[in-house]
Amino acid sequence: MSRADGLAADLVGGALYTALLYVLVAVLAPRARSRVVGLAAFGLSAAVELLQLTDVPRTLVEQAPPLAYVLGSTFVATDLAAYAVGALAATAVDVTVRGRRPG
């Protein structure tokens, strides 16, 4: 099995990360409107990315290495765009498949 590298793989990974957060937020708040769930998923993703501008992720990963999968290690501005695409795509799928109200 090969592993994809490069900007495209990074962007797809970021979008999928936010889509996963969308699902988790939707499960925790099943009555929330799709737009709110999408905004929450993007906000959480962006917060984790911005946290990488500090030493907090490095310190936490030293204590619990598996947190590296959640917190990452390096701020990359293009990830914010990927998160927005992931949130928009997850919201669109949710509205289309489940008939949730977007607003």
Side-chain angles (χ1 to χ4, degrees):
M1 182 165 92
S2 67
R3 182 176 170 259
D5 290 320
L7 180 61
D10 187 48
L11 293 175
V12 169
L16 290 172
Y17 175 76
T18 302
L20 172 62
L21 287 177
Y22 185 98
V23 171
L24 294 174
V25 171
V27 166
L28 292 173
R31 294 184 181 183
R33 292 184 174 187
S34 297
R35 179 177 54 184
V36 172
V37 175
L39 288 171
F42 173 76
L44 290 168
S45 299
V48 168
E49 191 69 28
L50 293 172
L51 191 65
Q52 293 170 2
L53 292 169
T54 71
D55 288 334
V56 172
R58 181 184 52 78
T59 303
L60 292 173
V61 168
E62 286 174 359
Q63 301 300 316
L67 285 177
Y69 294 110
V70 176
L71 299 177
S73 61
T74 307
F75 175 81
V76 179
T78 54
D79 285 350
L80 296 171
Y83 300 152
V85 169
L88 288 171
T91 302
V93 168
D94 191 24
V95 168
T96 302
V97 172
R98 293 186 34 184
R100 293 178 70 138
R101 293 181 7 180

